[in-house]
Amino acid sequence: MTVPKTGPTVLHTTVTAPLARPLLDELTHEYRTRYQRPVDLSLEYPADAFAPSRGGAFVLLLEDGEPVAGGAYRRHDAATAELKRIWTHSAHRRRGLARQVLTVLEREAAARGYTRIYLKTGPRQPEAKGLYLAAGYRPLFDPTAAPESVGPLPFEKHLENPRP
């Protein structure tokens, strides 16, 4: 008898945790390669922007103790969480892991009282654009325009808040 695999486990952690480093290093390399410019994620937002005490979260999906995907949100305003750093390790793509990360982050943001999620993705990331459209995010730009003419591609999604 085979035991069915239950899927990845969710770990709430920080962007500075050693387990997060391989994913964030690969994400940095991907950005540098796609956009051909230096990237330093630690300068974009301080690590504490994703701390629960500041209205944020950072999660990793783990398989056999190893990170396979992750993502974060930070407080954008009182009603809005902003997604950042959604990433799937290159060896684990095309398995729906980024969608799982989105689901976890959306549920947690709603549970914290956020009613809207906002995000921006780069114009050279068609996989991300496809993910957000498939997950019900509304583009805040003309999706028929050439992505490079738009710049960062903003999206939003309204959440159902489970709080009474």
Side-chain angles (χ1 to χ4, degrees), residues 19-49:
L19 270 177
R21 185 69 3 224
L23 283 178
L24 295 174
D25 286 348
E26 190 180 44
L27 175 59
T28 298
H29 174 75
E30 184 80 15
Y31 285 167
R32 285 180 182 153
T33 302
R34 287 193 188 207
Y35 296 100
Q36 299 176 353
R37 63 178 171 78
V39 174
D40 186 344
L41 294 178
S42 66
L43 296 177
E44 182 182 2
Y45 297 101
D48 70 345

Side-chain angles (χ1 to χ4, degrees), residues 105-153:
L105 293 173
E106 288 171 0
R107 285 182 184 154
E108 292 193 12
R112 286 191 76 125
Y114 291 113
T115 57
R116 177 178 174 257
I117 290 187
Y118 173 79
L119 67 93
K120 290 186 286 187
T121 192
R124 295 182 186 172
Q125 296 168 247
E127 309 89 345
K129 178 182 173 186
L131 168 69
Y132 299 127
L133 290 171
Y137 283 76
R138 183 174 73 88
L140 300 175
F141 60 95
D142 178 358
T144 64
E148 293 283 340
S149 72
V150 176
L153 309 176

Side-chain angles (χ1 to χ4, degrees), residues 5 46-47 63 79 96 126 134 153 161:
K5 189 170 183 175
E63 284 185 347
L153 309 176
N161 194 326

Side-chain angles (χ1 to χ4, degrees), residues 94-111:
R94 312 285 312 154
R95 297 178 41 210
L97 296 171
R99 185 67 174 261
Q100 289 179 41
V101 170
L102 279 180
T103 299
V104 168
L105 293 173
E106 288 171 0
R107 285 182 184 154
E108 292 193 12

